[in-house]
Amino acid sequence: EIVLTQSPGTLSLSPGERATLSCRASQSVSSSYLAWYQQKPGQAPRLLIYGASNRATGIPDRFSGSGSGTDFTLTISRLESEDFAVYYCQQYVSSPRTFGQGTKVEIK
Amino acid sequence: EVQLGESGGGLVQPGGSLRLSCAASGFTFSSYAMGWVRQAPGKGLEWVSSISGSGVSTYYTDSVKGRFTISRDNSKNTLYLQMNSLRAEDTAVYYCAKGSEKQQLVYDYWGQGTLVTVSS
């Protein structure tokens, strides 16, 4: 099983600031089979990024993904009020398709 | 418009069974892989199971293998999760999710979830 470790656990930032979220895998995630999801309280998750760097339909370009192998990053270039949420990475290169434990982006 | 609606959750005693359903509309159901993801109260997301569009291929996380069965009825546009031998640690909101257009192993649409509570 591939274990995904996200850091930091909580990120306290102000609107307009840049957010950098990390996801580290216990073994290589080949073909960059890594996705990022956003979840707000009481809501279902929303797909942001797939294939490590491809934005899903309708996702603003302030969201970007990068990385390969075992180290991946989600960057939000300028935080807007609606971006404060919990973010999860997920690998889908092998079963079980594990999620990271999440990073909460909160308003400072 | 893609819509996913889960049903079948509720309170069940340890060792009991439940069958979750997910009614899908707004897309060609049989063309897409589908999955179940759960979230225990106050916790993160956990992938549970997935199934190919044809229903031939199924996958499970280790903790539910032998207890849960995923299936689909493409004639009814419905996804199912049969859950047997339920345990307290299965308590969670269960989401059904649709494989995305460009990469069916990730989920681009999700239902609102149905709560399963396993308790005596």
Side-chain angles (χ1 to χ4, degrees):
Chain A
E1 172 176 324
I2 297 177
V3 176
L4 299 179
T5 302
Q6 293 186 239
S7 62
T10 302
L11 201 49
S12 299
L13 295 168
S14 301
E17 290 193 293
R18 181 184 189 90
T20 303
L21 288 66
S22 172
C23 176
R24 179 162 291 177
S26 60
Q27 54 189 279
S28 181
V29 177
S30 59
S31 303
S32 296
Y33 278 10
L34 188 111
W36 290 93
Y37 295 87
Q38 175 194 68
Q39 188 180 34
K40 297 178 182 179
Q43 296 186 15
R46 173 194 183 195
L47 176 65
L48 299 176
I49 301 285
Y50 66 94
S53 61
N54 301 290
R55 273 188 299 277
T57 302
I59 301 303
D61 60 8
R62 65 179 181 273
F63 291 92
S64 63
S66 63
S68 63
T70 60
D71 289 297
F72 298 87
T73 300
L74 175 70
T75 301
I76 310 171
S77 59
R78 287 175 55 86
L79 282 164
E80 299 198 2
S81 57
E82 62 264 31
D83 300 336
F84 292 93
V86 180
Y87 293 83
Y88 297 94
C89 57
Q90 184 199 18
Q91 65 80 20
Y92 50 99
V93 68
S94 66
S95 186
R97 296 170 191 154
T98 45
F99 286 90
Q101 82 278 18
T103 290
K104 182 180 182 180
V105 179
E106 65 176 22
I107 299 177
K108 186 174 182 180
Chain B
E1 179 190 4
V2 172
Q3 293 192 336
L4 299 171
E6 303 94 337
S7 60
L11 175 63
V12 61
Q13 292 188 340
S17 298
L18 275 180
R19 187 198 202 198
L20 305 185
S21 299
C22 174
S25 63
F27 63 103
T28 305
F29 184 68
S30 61
S31 295
Y32 293 89
M34 298 290 294
W36 290 96
V37 176
R38 68 185 179 184
Q39 187 168 35
K43 302 298 184 182
L45 301 174
E46 180 184 23
W47 174 80
V48 175
S49 181
S50 64
I51 187 169
S52 62
S54 65
V56 169
S57 300
T58 58
Y59 307 88
Y60 300 91
T61 193
D62 286 350
S63 63
V64 309
K65 281 180 183 175
R67 301 189 299 123
F68 290 12
T69 302
I70 191 171
S71 62
R72 63 193 297 160
D73 185 336
N74 286 345
S75 69
K76 295 182 178 179
N77 289 353
T78 303
L79 175 72
Y80 302 101
L81 186 68
Q82 177 67 45
M83 304 186 296
N84 298 330
S85 302
L86 283 161
R87 306 167 180 168
E89 55 264 35
D90 296 318
T91 294
V93 172
Y94 284 73
Y95 295 101
C96 74
K98 168 190 165 290
S100 74
E101 184 76 34
K102 295 184 178 179
Q103 175 47 271
Q104 291 210 19
L105 298 178
V106 297
Y107 302 126
D108 58 356
Y109 286 92
W110 298 61
Q112 281 307 298
T114 187
L115 177 62
V116 172
T117 303
V118 184
S119 174
S120 55

